[in-house]
Amino acid sequence: MSAEARTGLDAASSEPLHPAARDVLLAALDQGYADPRRLHHDGRRARLLLDNAREVVAQSLQLRPDEVTFTSSGTEAVHRGLLGLHRARARHGSAVLHSAVEHSAVHHALRWAGVPTVEVPVTATGLVTRDAVRTALGASAAPVAVAAVQHANHEVGTVHPVAGIAEELGEVPLFVDACASAGRLPLPDGWAAAAASAHKWGGPAGVGLLLVRKGARWRNPFPEDDRVDPRSSGFENIPAALAAAAALQAMVSEQQELGARQSALVERVRSGVGALPDVEVVGEPSQRLPHLVTFSCLYVGGERLVTELDRLGFGVASGSACTASTLAPSHVLAAMGALTHGNVRLSLGRSADSRAVEALLSALPEVLERLRTEVGL
């Protein structure tokens, strides 16, 4: 199938480059190449451009510019944000409390650091509740130094009550993975450090955001570097940072209109696939991201479903999105008690419309029937 005829429905993995980001990126390539630490003309210009990108991000997310650090990815921002809070709080406790549905980047960071963990279970819709956090805190064998609860889940879209959870934690600082929600929803209150990823909102890949609140205790968990921002390392990609900031600014300006349109389309998907035999929609029905929906299909393999839909021109993802390359079952769906195979994650980009949704809903029944027939059902 030609590229023109294809329907991309995997924006949660990566959103196509926003037109605003493209224009800024091209303009900045000739202006932002220099080392922003240098005092010559080109270096000073690069520093001004980097500072401008930081200010635009801060304004878009309603933060202070000195609370924003550009990293090389959302994953790096997760690692730096979480481990930096833990390093600064080591004498107050050793354990990290985290939800059972955190992104694999959180689990990898904690395993690498050898940190004791306390896991908070979730409801059948993938929700982290205040009661569950309170129970986990009380049951921890070791003092809890830091907590990690994502703003919204990257696989099923459930949005967690971060501000209420922060109240429950009291003096324990909270790290929030906002990679799935930044630009699509306002940031919640109550966190000490957070992470975001530019390619999720239409910025270029290779740009993440580490957000550390003014007054939060954070220490660099990795080797120091003498860059402009002491919370980062390596040479700043200034054109990409500017493009990421431009895309975020544009996305935030479109947030209400785009969110309402995408939420209506997702509701159509939820009702359409929910009416099919042996198909279950997972995640919170209303407390969710506006553009994302996951459903589980009995008697069908998720990888086979994704491949068959791709053959028909629909680019969707498996529910085990963060571990798809290993074909490992989704730890998120397992924590919810949902079917860990036969999952499809559909996420709408800016250009997705009702025609794309109706085309998918029209194709899906025949695909499911054919795949189930192949296994003798």
Side-chain angles (χ1 to χ4, degrees):
M1 178 170 286
S2 68
E4 292 79 9
R6 295 193 59 80
T7 301
L9 297 170
D10 189 22
S13 293
S14 192
E15 177 90 9
L17 197 65
H18 197 288
R22 183 183 301 277
D23 294 342
V24 170
L25 180 63
L26 292 175
L29 286 173
D30 292 331
Q31 303 294 324
Y33 67 89
D35 187 340
R37 298 178 304 165
R38 303 307 174 193
L39 298 180
H40 52 63
H41 173 78
D42 292 334
R44 296 197 307 273
R45 180 173 59 189
R47 177 62 181 267
L48 286 173
L49 292 174
L50 182 60
D51 289 345
N52 177 256
R54 185 178 290 110
E55 288 174 7
V56 169
V57 167
Q59 184 180 46
S60 299
L61 298 179
Q62 298 184 7
L63 302 172
R64 295 165 49 111
D66 60 358
E67 295 175 328
V68 176
T69 293
F70 292 102
T71 64
S72 64
S73 66
T75 297
E76 185 193 359
V78 168
H79 294 169
R80 287 182 174 274
L82 176 56
L83 297 180
L85 288 178
H86 184 268
R87 186 180 181 194
R89 293 269 302 181
R91 68 185 181 87
H92 294 278
S94 58
V96 172
L97 181 146
H98 65 85
S99 82
V101 293
E102 294 301 306
H103 192 278
S104 59
V106 168
H107 297 284
H108 294 160
L110 296 176
R111 282 199 294 269
W112 175 83
V115 175
T117 61
V118 181
E119 187 171 274
V120 181
V122 296
T123 67
T125 60
L127 186 68
V128 182
T129 67
R130 292 184 63 161
D131 287 345
V133 170
R134 186 186 313 119
T135 300
L137 275 174
S140 177
V144 172
V146 179
V149 177
Q150 61 194 186
H151 184 200
N153 187 262
H154 51 290
E155 289 188 24
V156 301
T158 296
V159 175
H160 304 295
V162 170
I165 289 169
E167 291 178 1
E168 203 66 49
L169 291 168
E171 296 300 315
V172 175
L174 176 61
F175 169 76
V176 169
D177 172 5
C179 290
S181 61
R184 300 184 184 278
L185 298 174
L187 288 179
D189 294 326
W191 49 271
S197 183
H199 69 99
K200 304 281 190 178
W201 65 67
V207 180
L209 296 179
L210 167 61
L211 312 173
V212 179
R213 283 291 198 187
K214 185 71 173 179
R217 296 183 58 192
W218 184 93
R219 290 183 61 194
N220 198 331
F222 303 128
E224 302 287 344
D225 198 358
D226 57 349
R227 301 309 304 169
V228 169
D229 188 334
R231 289 196 289 258
S232 67
S233 64
F235 198 101
E236 295 85 359
N237 188 338
I238 295 172
L242 280 164
L248 179 61
Q249 185 179 54
M251 198 74 163
V252 168
S253 72
E254 302 166 354
Q255 194 175 88
Q256 290 190 345
E257 183 277 329
L258 182 63
R261 176 162 56 86
Q262 291 179 334
S263 187
L265 292 173
V266 165
E267 278 300 324
R268 172 68 183 116
V269 175
R270 292 177 66 91
S271 62
V273 301
L276 297 176
D278 298 315
V279 177
E280 179 185 10
V281 180
V282 298
E284 276 284 316
S286 57
Q287 196 170 321
R288 58 172 174 80
L289 289 170
H291 71 304
L292 188 153
V293 59
T294 293
F295 50 92
S296 300
C297 307
L298 280 173
Y299 317 121
V300 179
E303 290 77 22
R304 187 76 176 87
L305 250 177
V306 169
T307 300
E308 185 62 16
L309 288 171
D310 184 62
R311 185 183 69 81
L312 296 176
F314 301 101
V316 301
S318 167
S320 52
C322 64
T323 52
S325 62
T326 66
L327 302 183
S330 163
H331 71 276
V332 171
L333 297 173
M336 296 166 57
L339 185 68
T340 58
H341 297 281
N343 306 109
V344 169
R345 184 188 70 174
L346 181 153
S347 46
L348 307 179
R350 295 174 59 255
S351 61
D353 56 20
S354 59
R355 289 177 297 177
V357 166
E358 295 302 330
L360 176 72
L361 292 176
S362 177
L364 191 59
E366 191 273 334
V367 169
L368 290 174
E369 181 179 3
R370 183 168 68 253
L371 293 182
R372 285 167 176 164
T373 300
E374 289 179 2
V375 296
L377 297 172

